Amino acid sequence: MALKTGKQYLESVADLKLEAHMLGRKSGDLGEHGLVQPSQKAVAFTFDAAHDPATRDLFCVESSLCKAEINRFTHLHQSAEDLVNKVKMQRYCGAGTACCFQRCVGLDAANAIYSTTFECDQKHGTDYHQRFKDYWSWIQQNDLVVDGAMTDPKGDRGKRPKDQVDPDLFLRVKERRPGGVVISGAKLHQTGMLNSHEILVMPTLTMRPGEEAWAVCCAVPTNAEGVRYIYGRQASDTRKLEADPLDVGNPFGGQEVMTVFEDVFVPDERVFLDGEVDFSGTLVERFASYHRQSYGGCKVGVGDALIGATALIAQMNGVAGASHIKDKIVEMIHLNETIFSCGIACSATGEATAAGNYLVNLLLANVCKLNVTRFPYELARLATDVAGGLLGTMPSAADLNDPVAGPYIKKYLAANPDFPVVDRMKVLRLIENLVAGAGAVGYLIESMHGAGPPTAQRIMIGRQADLEQKVARVKNMLGLV
Ligand SMILES: Cc1cc2nc3c(=O)[nH]c(=O)nc-3n(C[C@H](O)[C@H](O)[C@H](O)COP(=O)(O)OP(=O)(O)OC[C@H]3O[C@@H](n4cnc5c(N)ncnc54)[C@H](O)[C@@H]3O)c2cc1C
């Protein structure tokens, strides 16, 4: 079954019987939980799009491993065109859900691990690449969702893993047993973890000699023994538990989970790096760059939704014709398309790795993500400006439904008579969700920190820009020595 529908995906994730600590209680039946449902709905969107005649061609692709037709969310990119199509697909999902749809991080991890294991085997005579191919072919054929787990808690940022007060502050191999390793530690901020079937664990930074225990990459089922989950809070998240959905703003949503690995056994066939410190940096750099490319699609899609909502609220408020409003919306479009241009550019100029899959242009992927740490904030500022103060002060859906308060709300929140008051409230709530509510986790905080904070991109840009060549060219042009 290479192409699941959204419904089949939801059933398959329910079968995992995952449990999580949420708001002080241990919860099962997560698909029934109001906090989780919007995030599962967003992942299901990526499955249904593979069956929709309008988007099938973009979402379906032939696997390089098993030759079956698969969802592009599990594809190993075989060309620059594949990289471009990935970004277009992500934009489509972002625009359709207005949130983080959670499925990119595993895709980015897989493509990074594929090429890194190939090169590691060449140098060290290991057999990680074949193991990974077998594993990933199984993922493709079963159309599974994979969480990409890179970020360790990291403890004192000024200290190396081995110098932390607790060695588990960076996930590590704690013990070796016949046939596998035992890992211990945690991964924070894990996107879509409880909506995933599998976890790809990766090191969080370039390890050095002496730090072999922390240079580990492996796959773990989300329902493996010893893996524990603590649900992350989002602003206004308990609105999702209220009876009337109006105040939630967006029927879709993201999910981040603190994930603890308490002495989890991983069999050898699921281990893809084990102590080869010289390849930890390659893996981190490639994963991060693919993920920085991803933001050139997904955040643009969410930006499309914010721009659409802003243009609509301007009509509803009766200001759509004002020149400064039109100009602010053009500015939003300009910023959003600038991010998209970077996403497309780093894809179109991607190149084949030694393993055969395609890697993005590292310089342009980092430029893309650095813009993402800024532009969505400016889009959010402009949307807040255009929407008006009701964004932060509007009465609740419960009061709208109240026999006494409701008529006042309908009377005094009336604006352009072409639009019902309740529709105006819905659009305001969507904008609120994206700039200050649960959706701002995906649109703003993730834009800043997801795939690494801005300094990480600046370091990569400095490394990749070939400054020496630029200096040499100027010297040559001026005839200097
Ligand atoms: C919504 C969201 C979703 C995410 N999803 C995932 C996911 O699915 N998988 C995953 O693996 N990760 C995920 N992340 C994690 C993300 O990659 C990290 O948040 C990011 O790398 C920053 O790490 P941090 O949060 O530990 O912040 P820190 O590393 O503490 O950074 C905070 C600040 O300190 C600075 N800093 C850090 N260390 C040093 C140092 N040694 N010296 C000087 N300055 C330093 C940074 O530059 C930054 O300005 C997600 C994050 C968010 C917010």
Side-chain angles (χ1 to χ4, degrees):
M1 192 205 288
L3 282 175
K4 284 191 171 76
T5 61
K7 184 167 176 287
Q8 287 166 332
Y9 154 70
L10 292 172
E11 287 162 3
S12 71
V13 92
D15 286 346
L16 298 171
K17 305 206 179 311
L18 301 178
E19 292 182 335
H21 289 270
M22 300 169 71
L23 302 176
R25 292 175 56 182
K26 195 164 180 184
S27 303
D29 282 334
L30 297 176
E32 305 299 315
H33 199 295
L35 280 191
V36 181
Q37 268 173 347
S39 69
Q40 289 201 344
K41 200 172 158 172
V43 183
F45 185 95
T46 70
F47 286 87
D48 283 332
H51 294 269
D52 182 342
T55 47
R56 220 191 121 73
D57 285 350
L58 184 60
F59 280 71
C60 298
V61 61
E62 186 186 285
S63 161
S64 57
L65 296 178
C66 62
K67 305 299 170 202
E69 186 181 47
I70 56 166
N71 191 307
R72 190 179 290 284
F73 272 105
T74 66
H75 188 45
L76 298 168
H77 317 297
Q78 297 301 300
S79 61
E81 191 187 359
D82 270 348
L83 289 168
V84 168
N85 281 335
K86 172 196 167 194
V87 169
K88 288 181 180 170
M89 172 180 78
Q90 291 168 311
R91 183 173 189 169
Y92 178 80
C93 293
T97 62
C99 73
C100 168
F101 40 88
Q102 309 146 54
R103 215 178 162 188
C104 316
V105 67
L107 169 64
D108 294 337
N111 274 279
I113 295 169
Y114 186 81
S115 60
T116 305
T117 50
F118 182 88
E119 289 165 36
C120 182
D121 287 0
Q122 300 272 306
K123 183 169 175 196
H124 293 293
T126 43
D127 65 346
Y128 298 138
H129 190 62
Q130 188 57 49
R131 286 182 194 177
F132 186 71
K133 277 168 64 174
D134 292 343
Y135 169 69
W136 199 254
S137 179
W138 172 73
I139 295 287
Q140 290 183 335
Q141 287 173 59
N142 290 282
D143 205 5
L144 301 180
V145 178
V146 182
D147 170 89
M150 179 162 278
T151 309
D152 289 327
K154 298 183 292 206
D156 181 336
R157 271 65 175 152
K159 294 196 171 114
R160 298 295 303 177
K162 63 181 168 42
D163 300 325
Q164 299 290 334
V165 286
D166 182 342
D168 287 345
L169 285 167
F170 286 75
L171 186 141
R172 65 188 172 123
V173 172
K174 185 177 174 187
E175 191 189 327
R176 291 183 186 282
R177 290 189 195 150
V181 297
V182 175
I183 58 171
S184 176
K187 294 288 181 184
L188 304 190
H189 326 283
Q190 294 307 296
T191 292
M193 178 62 92
L194 290 161
N195 299 335
S196 302
H197 305 90
E198 287 277 318
I199 309 166
L200 274 174
V201 171
M202 297 168 282
T204 209
L205 47 78
T206 302
M207 297 299 166
R208 299 173 183 166
E211 297 172 342
E212 285 76 9
W214 292 275
V216 59
C217 172
C218 59
V220 177
T222 44
N223 60 0
E225 202 182 329
V227 186
R228 301 189 200 297
Y229 303 107
I230 307 166
Y231 212 73
R233 287 218 74 170
Q234 298 178 331
S236 310
D237 52 3
T238 46
R239 288 191 190 189
K240 294 173 189 166
L241 305 175
E242 293 172 11
D244 191 319
L246 193 152
D247 286 341
V248 182
N250 185 356
F252 297 96
Q255 174 193 96
E256 282 77 32
V257 184
M258 177 191 280
T259 304
V260 178
F261 298 78
E262 199 180 337
D263 296 340
V264 176
F265 178 75
V266 186
D268 286 335
E269 63 269 23
R270 292 289 188 259
V271 176
F272 312 122
L273 195 74
D274 181 10
E276 293 78 8
V277 286
D278 47 342
F279 283 91
S280 56
T282 311
L283 183 52
V284 172
E285 186 177 285
R286 289 186 186 170
F287 166 75
S289 297
Y290 279 122
H291 211 44
R292 290 167 193 172
Q293 169 214 23
S294 283
Y295 285 14
C298 66
K299 302 303 176 213
V300 180
V302 181
D304 287 334
L306 184 60
I307 292 166
T310 306
L312 188 53
I313 201 64
Q315 291 172 22
M316 290 172 156
N317 290 352
V319 294
S323 61
H324 78 99
I325 298 285
K326 285 187 196 162
D327 192 52
K328 281 165 186 162
I329 290 171
V330 167
E331 177 67 7
M332 291 173 80
I333 296 167
H334 168 69
L335 292 171
N336 207 40
E337 298 301 338
T338 302
I339 298 173
F340 187 56
S341 307
C342 292
I344 294 295
C346 72
S347 306
T349 55
E351 291 182 359
T353 65
N357 66 332
Y358 270 62
L359 178 62
V360 292
N361 176 314
L362 300 186
L363 173 62
L364 298 186
N366 280 279
V367 171
C368 178
K369 171 68 204 323
L370 192 57
N371 283 336
V372 172
T373 65
R374 296 173 175 157
F375 295 175
Y377 286 86
E378 182 61 9
L379 268 102
R381 189 184 75 80
L382 291 165
T384 305
D385 175 354
V386 173
L390 273 177
L391 213 50
T393 65
M394 194 164 64
S396 70
D399 287 322
L400 179 69
N401 297 329
D402 181 84
V404 178
Y408 290 119
I409 294 172
K410 285 187 187 125
K411 177 176 163 72
Y412 290 110
L413 294 195
N416 181 341
D418 290 344
F419 298 93
V421 169
V422 69
D423 287 3
R424 184 173 178 232
M425 292 176 78
K426 282 181 185 168
V427 176
L428 284 165
R429 285 291 182 222
L430 173 60
I431 299 173
E432 180 200 26
N433 172 278
L434 288 172
V435 306
V441 175
Y443 190 53
L444 300 180
I445 300 173
E446 192 173 39
S447 288
M448 181 65 73
H449 280 294
T455 303
Q457 288 105 66
R458 301 187 88 88
I459 291 169
M460 281 292 286
I461 289 170
R463 264 195 225 144
Q464 296 287 328
D466 202 352
L467 205 52
E468 281 174 20
Q469 190 201 49
K470 295 184 203 307
V471 170
R473 280 189 178 150
V474 170
K475 281 185 172 174
N476 189 38
M477 187 175 75
L478 299 179
L480 309 180
V481 281

